[in-house]
Amino acid sequence: MTFKQGIFYQIYPRSFKDANGDGIGDIKGIISKLDYLLQLGVNYIWLSPVYASPNVDFGYDISDYFSINPEYGTMADMDKLIAEGKKRGIYFVMDLVMNHTSSEHAWFKSSLDPNSPYRDYYFHRPGKGNKLPNNWTSFFGEKAWSKNADGTYYLHLFAQNQPDLNWDHPMMYEEFKKIILFWLNKGIKGFRCDVVNVMCKTDLENGKNRLFLKGLEKYQSTPKNHMYLKRIHKELIEPNGAFLVGETVMINTQQANDLLGTESEKELDMMFGFEHMDADQFLVKWFKRKFNPDKFNRILTKWQLELPWNANYFENHDQPRSVSRYGSLHYHKESAKMLSTVLLTLKGSPFIFQGQEIGMTNVDYKSLDEYMDIETKNIWALAKKLWIPKFYRWHMIKTVSRDNARSPMQWDAKGGFSTGKPWLRINHNQKIINVEAQTDDGNSILSYYKRLIKIRQQHPVLIDGDFVPLVIKKGVFAYHRVLGNQKILVVVNMSSKYRKFKHSMDGEILLQNYPPLEMKRLRPYEARIIEVQNDQV
Ligand code: NOJ
Ligand code: CA
């Protein structure tokens, strides 16, 4: 099985399944659910970080890349997870953060001493007079510099406790080589590389004046960054038959193609772009506007046509739930199934985020205290400083907070995630939306996912076929996948209205999310996958 054939499933370990009752998901919990994932049809699991971490950014602040966060278990548990996965034909993709470490990492602690050999593993700089070393701002809405005890400053593009690593240091590659080989030797198949196109900075001069992310042009997809990705791919990834999935921020399709490299000099094997995630926002993600499905589908189409292969996703641990965002809670089942239809039939590797397969929704939290995410808290404080009224701040948090995706997995109507008190509150709608209720219901979202995954695996055209757009209009999205004389038509209605569809829908219906009535019109959120007969090709 290659990554092109595989179904990917992202686990956010803290919220997946708690085996020991402390309210925190763990590795033993994941092991206990491998059979569930096998039945779903999953081939690869992307594990959000399980490394040692003080959890300021819940694992994306790594304090030791060679050990497991004790809250999640031990290295022996991790080895067992990899082995149990392998028995079932399920392989792992580790999250790898190369842009920054935790401020608790031994390198950073040592670097605080100006004479340490680790000093230049990070960017420690004196201020300019009483000003910061430059005007850069962080991804979490703060200044990108924080003060050390000796009065100098260090750079962090994310939280204060996530100091940026200095890839100009000759040892940086060597350090990550050890880390990458350590995990490949354990049998993992690839890495999901966190914010992988901001690793190398050209210089530390002031950035252009912009509302958000001042400094971006100094570190986004720099030549050195490309050089290191090529080196990592050639020297570490290829010889081990592994692959890289990049999380790449603020890029267009041209930059995305550059980050794939060339046939002889590969960089990333596929990447998560953000352009479709931006379709419902105004300037920054915190200002949402009404979802415009045509805009969304035009962006998807552009990426389909302009990239040879995509890492397709509608959800992850940083994004709101797709059914709340692009679907409708009035048509919960229909719209969740419709979205899955697109996700699984686009060209590329589909990534399902835990809970998406049962249509989990955004959280129902009532106050800021219920949220745990650092970004959420920072943005609340920043918005307050900017005099954004409370009702609007609350709206921002409700619709955009990353905790929308991070609330614990809804295994059953009661305490299926944990016998203890979950670290983040479970959505009350677990009473209705849960795995147990959907398992034996042939009409459930979960059953639909299972059928869809089978269909994808039985039809090579859905993997290797070309993507040929047909309609993007008033929420209707239709396209063909074509391979030799095989042709599949996918038609969905991403709106809550009835819609006309003028093209032929003749052929064998492989799957649809409504009872099979002879209808020319598409019902709200309807989705159909039709195999077009040979003589109609
Ligand atoms: C992207 C990750 O997906 C996100 O969760 C994290 O906060 C940032 N990178 C920083 O590591
Ligand atoms: Ca636990």
Side-chain angles (χ1 to χ4, degrees):
M1 160 96 42
T2 67
F3 69 81
K4 293 201 168 169
Q5 292 153 337
I7 302 289
F8 288 74
Y9 187 91
Q10 183 192 350
I11 290 186
Y12 192 71
R14 209 172 178 76
S15 301
F16 189 61
K17 170 71 189 166
D18 172 25
N20 66 353
D22 65 357
I24 298 173
D26 44 46
I27 295 173
K28 286 207 171 94
I30 302 176
I31 296 174
S32 73
K33 294 296 181 186
L34 283 174
D35 285 331
Y36 164 76
L37 296 175
L38 182 66
Q39 278 153 23
L40 178 59
V42 168
N43 311 109
Y44 293 101
I45 294 174
W46 154 24
L47 264 193
S48 272
V50 288
Y51 311 98
S53 163
N55 279 334
V56 171
D57 192 17
F58 293 116
Y60 286 91
D61 47 327
I62 300 172
S63 53
D64 181 0
Y65 293 77
F66 299 101
S67 66
I68 299 292
N69 181 342
E71 287 174 324
Y72 300 152
T74 61
M75 192 57 87
D77 294 333
M78 188 64 206
D79 290 338
K80 176 142 193 250
L81 174 63
I82 296 171
E84 289 294 323
K86 192 171 172 195
K87 275 190 208 160
R88 295 164 174 84
I90 297 178
Y91 295 92
F92 288 86
V93 174
M94 290 294 273
D95 220 305
L96 183 65
V97 186
M98 295 191 280
N99 179 68
H100 47 268
T101 65
S102 159
S103 50
E104 296 296 308
H105 195 290
W107 299 337
F108 187 73
K109 288 203 214 157
S110 172
S111 80
L112 295 174
D113 172 0
N115 300 316
S116 158
Y118 294 99
R119 181 67 172 178
D120 289 331
Y121 270 38
Y122 298 88
F123 298 98
H124 293 286
R125 294 290 183 277
K128 282 191 180 155
N130 55 2
K131 286 212 198 124
L132 300 176
N134 68 26
N135 69 351
W136 297 7
T137 50
S138 85
F139 280 81
F140 288 164
E142 304 168 300
K143 299 278 181 210
W145 296 89
S146 290
K147 214 175 201 158
N148 291 312
D150 67 0
T152 58
Y153 296 88
Y154 66 91
L155 176 71
H156 55 88
L157 293 185
F158 292 87
Q160 282 183 17
N161 313 56
Q162 290 168 305
D164 274 48
L165 286 164
N166 173 13
W167 278 83
D168 290 328
H169 196 295
M171 280 306 290
M172 205 46 60
Y173 178 79
E174 300 305 321
E175 297 284 9
F176 275 93
K177 179 175 171 179
K178 275 190 244 161
I179 295 166
I180 289 172
L181 292 179
F182 174 84
W183 286 100
L184 287 175
N185 287 336
K186 285 195 176 286
I188 68 129
K189 290 287 184 225
F191 296 94
R192 175 269 185 189
C193 306
D194 192 68
V195 293
V196 73
N197 64 325
V198 304
M199 270 161 52
C200 304
K201 286 77 184 168
T202 49
D203 57 69
L204 298 180
E205 296 304 312
N206 278 341
K208 281 191 205 137
N209 214 1
R210 25 187 297 144
L211 188 64
F212 185 60
L213 286 180
K214 273 189 207 123
L216 181 68
E217 70 281 5
K218 304 283 185 187
Y219 56 76
Q220 190 217 38
S221 307
T222 60
K224 194 169 247 173
N225 206 141
H226 284 291
M227 186 274 283
Y228 273 121
L229 288 177
K230 288 191 174 108
R231 202 164 156 201
I232 290 171
H233 207 280
K234 177 149 279 128
E235 292 176 14
L236 311 176
I237 300 301
E238 273 161 51
N240 288 291
F243 56 83
L244 293 180
V245 190
E247 185 206 27
T248 45
V249 292
M250 321 270 285
I251 55 163
N252 58 32
T253 48
Q254 177 56 49
Q255 292 161 323
N257 270 308
D258 292 345
L259 283 161
L260 289 175
T262 59
E263 207 34 56
S264 60
E265 288 194 303
K266 288 209 173 118
E267 297 190 18
L268 299 167
D269 292 283
M270 55 179 155
M271 73 199 78
F272 299 119
F274 280 82
E275 204 180 340
H276 65 306
M277 291 281 126
D278 299 346
D280 62 347
Q281 77 184 30
F282 183 70
L283 293 174
V284 294
K285 71 173 183 178
W286 296 94
F287 299 117
K288 287 274 174 261
R289 50 179 155 200
K290 194 166 176 276
F291 174 55
N292 174 343
D294 293 346
K295 185 171 175 202
F296 184 75
N297 294 329
R298 274 195 296 271
I299 296 171
L300 288 178
T301 298
K302 180 167 76 170
W303 283 72
Q304 287 286 299
L305 295 176
E306 294 181 16
L307 264 87
W309 194 257
N310 282 287
N312 295 317
Y313 74 100
F314 293 162
E315 285 184 26
N316 62 35
H317 65 293
D318 293 332
Q319 300 292 338
R321 289 288 183 179
S322 60
V323 70
S324 301
R325 185 177 183 184
Y326 308 131
S328 159
L329 299 187
H330 299 293
Y331 293 95
H332 178 250
K333 255 191 202 178
E334 292 80 1
S335 62
K337 291 177 184 177
M338 178 279 292
L339 289 165
S340 69
T341 308
V342 179
L343 184 69
L344 275 288
T345 59
L346 289 176
K347 186 172 183 185
S349 300
F351 282 74
I352 301 165
F353 179 66
Q354 65 184 45
Q356 188 176 353
E357 75 278 21
I358 54 168
M360 276 177 64
T361 67
N362 280 352
V363 292
D364 55 349
Y365 299 165
K366 298 282 180 290
S367 79
L368 192 66
D369 306 340
E370 294 201 89
Y371 291 82
M372 295 289 167
D373 174 28
I374 180 167
E375 185 194 50
T376 304
K377 308 230 180 221
N378 282 357
I379 292 295
W380 177 271
L382 179 71
K384 200 167 169 186
K385 252 200 235 155
L386 295 174
W387 297 93
I388 295 180
K390 191 166 175 197
F391 84 90
Y392 197 78
R393 289 202 305 268
W394 186 236
H395 170 75
M396 288 162 67
I397 300 303
K398 285 292 277 182
T399 46
V400 187
S401 169
R402 306 194 295 184
D403 284 341
N404 281 315
R406 298 177 181 187
S407 69
M409 180 75 184
Q410 297 170 197
W411 292 107
D412 63 21
K414 297 184 295 294
F417 165 67
S418 171
T419 52
K421 183 170 185 277
W423 72 281
L424 184 65
R425 178 160 76 67
I426 303 194
N427 197 317
H428 284 123
N429 67 18
Q430 74 167 327
K431 289 193 195 75
I432 314 155
I433 303 172
N434 64 66
V435 171
E436 190 179 62
Q438 295 195 21
T439 301
D440 296 322
D441 171 2
N443 196 27
S444 68
I445 301 168
L446 182 60
S447 300
Y448 190 88
Y449 263 89
K450 288 183 187 165
R451 284 202 289 276
L452 191 50
I453 289 172
K454 283 217 178 75
I455 288 171
R456 188 176 192 274
Q457 278 155 351
Q458 288 159 356
H459 294 81
V461 56
L462 289 175
I463 294 165
D464 296 317
D466 288 337
F467 169 93
V468 184
L470 184 64
V471 178
I472 300 176
K473 199 176 170 192
K474 287 181 148 182
V476 174
F477 187 29
Y479 48 89
H480 286 115
R481 297 294 309 276
V482 185
L483 181 69
N485 64 356
Q486 297 170 49
K487 190 174 191 179
I488 281 183
L489 169 68
V490 179
V491 191
V492 305
N493 175 6
M494 270 192 202
S495 83
S496 58
K497 308 270 166 22
Y498 281 78
R499 291 289 185 230
K500 287 195 192 102
F501 186 72
K502 285 193 262 162
H503 300 264
S504 158
M505 286 195 277
D506 293 345
E508 186 197 341
I509 295 191
L510 297 178
L511 192 62
Q512 88 184 108
N513 64 347
Y514 269 89
L517 291 175
E518 272 303 311
M519 281 197 67
K520 193 72 187 142
R521 281 195 312 168
L522 296 169
R523 289 157 280 190
Y525 299 104
E526 179 155 5
R528 300 185 195 185
I529 305 178
I530 298 163
E531 186 160 27
V532 181
Q533 301 310 318
N534 275 347
D535 54 355
Q536 292 161 332
V537 173

